[in-house]
Amino acid sequence: MTQMLDFNGRVAVVTGAGQGMGREHAKMLASRGARVVANDINADRVADTVSAIIDSGGIAVADSHNIVTGAADIVQTALNEFGQLDIVVNNAGINAFGRFWEMDPDTWWKIFDVSVKGVVEVSRAAMPHLIASGSGRLINISSNGVMGVPLDSAYNAAKAAIWGLGITLAAEAREVGVQVTTLMPVAWTPMTEDAFPNPVIRDAMRNTVPASAVSAFVAWLAHQDTTVHGDTFEVAGVSAGRVAIAGMPRMKVATPTPESWAEGAGLLTQDGELRPFRTASESFRDQMVYLAPELDSVLPADAADVSR
Ligand SMILES: NC(=O)c1ccc[n+]([C@@H]2O[C@H](COP(=O)([O-])OP(=O)(O)OC[C@H]3O[C@@H](n4cnc5c(N)ncnc54)[C@H](O)[C@@H]3O)[C@@H](O)[C@H]2O)c1
């Protein structure tokens, strides 16, 4: 039986903690002993989150800096108030729907920038302190929208960027003891309440995927004893699974001409056994060996890692 995972002595920043999942993540971590910086651009809502935590006997401070322009200030709040930083949950994000070619470019870039720059800048400001922690945890919130949801191109492009960033940071940060993971959650929150017009979907979400359920998963990932590293997980209510990038069986052409690929189109689009890749090196090495089998004995396992 797993002992209760406690966060005594740990300091966490949760962005977007004024409502929805961020609020639940902040409450969950504080309920288990973490000292929490609850950040949200909406000062009133995040003050409510902090009051709820303090009323339940937890420790938290509110921070209302914008994740894009005030990332260093958010991290500084943790240092000023609690003297250290061990956990960052990059949760804040925004969304708006519209057909790509009809959406006003300023709106498109705002959605992309808030989500991506916010995660990048908060991570950048936090990283030295997460390294100093000795068991730093960085959890980035992406979305299964990376697989394509019509009318949501800015959001999905941003979430794909966050995903790629997280996988790469994980590879870089392993050596300095910071664990980086990415979540693709599904939860009933103000964001989803705004998104889904269909009452059947709304009821299904309201009844099965409370925001608080995702927080249990976040807390597990954030814990100092959790050794998961670099992975991406889908999580919805009481279910979760690892998300992998996988390749279908390859094919070769004798000579690379547009016509030879046209002839092979049927093979390229047919079903077949999936091969999951954990790293870019696995995919790169696999392609090279497929082309030239003799490379199998000379290419290292981390063939795409330019730092080697
Ligand atoms: N709800 C879902 O099913 C779902 C699915 C996939 C991914 N996500 C992601 O999970 C995260 C939380 O989602 P949610 O549904 O709880 O969202 P939400 O809209 O309910 O809450 C997001 C919070 O972030 C805050 N925020 C926005 N911009 C900010 C900024 N610049 N600086 C600081 N705070 C800012 C908002 O004020 C808000 O309180 C988001 O990144 C979202 O994209 C949600």
Side-chain angles (χ1 to χ4, degrees), residues 19 21 40-41 45 66-67 91 142 155 159 185 187 189 191:
Q19 65 178 31
M21 279 183 271
D40 201 291
I41 200 166
R45 287 203 300 247
N66 184 330
I67 52 169
N91 166 80
S142 176
Y155 179 83
K159 293 302 189 183
T189 68
M191 186 185 274

Side-chain angles (χ1 to χ4, degrees), residues 12-31 36-41 45-46 48-50 52-53 60-61 88-93 139 141 183 185 187-191 210-216 218-219:
V13 163
V14 180
T15 66
Q19 65 178 31
M21 279 183 271
R23 170 175 284 197
E24 298 303 323
H25 302 339
K27 283 164 58 185
M28 167 65 80
L29 292 170
S31 73
V36 174
V37 175
N39 156 269
D40 201 291
I41 200 166
R45 287 203 300 247
V46 82
D48 285 349
T49 302
V50 167
I53 290 173
V61 293
V88 171
V89 186
N90 271 319
N91 166 80
I139 300 165
I141 308 300
L183 275 196
W188 179 245
T189 68
M191 186 185 274
S212 56
V214 177
S215 306
V218 166

Side-chain angles (χ1 to χ4, degrees), residues 14 68-69 74 96 123 156 215 277 287:
V14 180
V68 181
T69 53
I74 298 169
S123 302
N156 294 333
S215 306
F277 300 115
Q287 292 183 85

